[in-house]
Amino acid sequence: MTAWLPDETTLHHGNGPYREDRAADVFAVLREQAGNQTAQVTAAGAAWLAGAAAYPRSALSQWESHPSAPGVLPCGSSFDVVNVPTLFGRRMLEHLWADGPGSGPVATHRGRMLLFASPGTAQRLPSLLDWEEWGGGATSRSAGGSAGQDESGRKVPPLLCHGTGDAVTVPPLTCGTNASGPRWVVAPDTRSPWLPGPDVLLWACVRVARSVPSSGPRISIFPPVDQGAKVYDVSRRR
């Protein structure tokens, strides 16, 4: 990840003249908080986030006034979000970064981890999990969800998939070291971040679930022993 970088491009969404000085102001605030941290949003990342809003200029203006306040952005156009329990999400990230293609932006909020994914993921991931024979482990735009489970007892915890028609809380552009509330784990740092699709996230879910030891009974290839059978010592048989 990079530190705050000057963004030479501007947003041109909506009607009316666009005030480039206001965009420059919010980017200046971000550069003042510069640091080589994956949890720090860059100016280009802020522009990408603002592009998800219905009125990007208004979003930039609000962030200029309150850079340390969280925001709310709609899903479905620039990104979808897969919402998983924090521990399971961290294990997903370990596999994505160690054995896979990496991840897009990631945030934490209220004991959950938000993985930003490509648009359409919220619709496809639940059906892919069902197809993988986990018994249905994800829900779309739902506060609930049933954990998926394979035949060996390994589970995928409830996943909440946010897509078109949903909105999610995103962390502030700048966060203090002791700040509470939503935080970036992997902050956006480019105007076109790579976002994992449903197939990549399915792979990560399966890898994590199968790497956790099963809590179910072990299956032996040998038939059960008859407890009432007589046992003979054949070690001395000629």
Side-chain angles (χ1 to χ4, degrees):
M1 294 291 175
T2 59
W4 296 122
L5 300 175
D7 188 30
E8 302 299 333
T9 59
T10 57
L11 298 173
H12 296 281
H13 296 265
N15 299 322
Y18 177 71
R19 293 183 55 184
E20 297 186 9
D21 58 326
R22 296 189 67 83
D25 289 343
V26 68
F27 294 146
V29 171
L30 299 182
R31 287 193 291 273
E32 291 176 0
Q33 305 293 328
N36 294 316
Q37 304 177 26
T38 58
Q40 289 285 1
V41 183
T42 65
W48 173 71
L49 286 171
Y55 302 97
R57 293 177 296 170
S58 298
L60 286 175
S61 178
Q62 292 178 3
W63 286 336
E64 176 189 355
S65 302
H66 306 284
S68 60
V72 177
L73 292 176
C75 302
S77 57
S78 296
F79 54 78
D80 282 359
V81 170
V82 177
N83 184 328
V84 303
T86 297
L87 180 58
F88 190 84
R90 289 190 178 277
R91 289 173 176 168
M92 288 180 64
L93 285 184
E94 290 175 0
H95 284 287
L96 286 170
W97 284 104
D99 307 317
S103 73
V106 180
T108 59
H109 184 45
R110 294 180 178 177
R112 308 276 296 187
M113 186 168 285
L114 311 179
L115 287 82
F116 286 68
S118 61
T121 297
Q123 180 179 4
R124 293 187 57 200
L125 183 58
S127 59
L128 287 178
L129 282 168
D130 289 340
W131 175 81
E132 190 65 23
E133 297 182 355
W134 295 103
T139 61
S140 180
R141 300 195 301 275
S142 172
S146 58
Q149 178 174 318
D150 68 3
E151 295 179 354
S152 62
R154 300 180 178 91
K155 296 181 179 180
V156 173
L159 310 183
L160 306 180
C161 299
H162 307 291
T164 302
D166 300 325
V168 295
T169 299
V170 297
L173 298 184
T174 61
C175 289
T177 55
N178 298 323
S180 59
R183 299 179 61 87
W184 290 108
V185 177
V186 180
D189 66 346
T190 174
R191 291 182 63 92
S192 301
W194 178 82
L195 300 174
D199 51 344
V200 173
L201 294 180
L202 172 69
W203 170 85
C205 287
V206 172
R207 290 294 293 268
V208 174
R210 291 179 177 172
S211 66
V212 177
S214 173
S215 58
R218 297 183 61 184
I219 300 176
S220 174
I221 63 174
F222 300 101
V225 177
D226 184 356
Q227 299 296 330
K230 295 182 179 180
V231 178
Y232 299 92
D233 181 4
V234 297
S235 60
R236 298 181 182 180
R237 180 175 297 177
R238 295 179 180 177

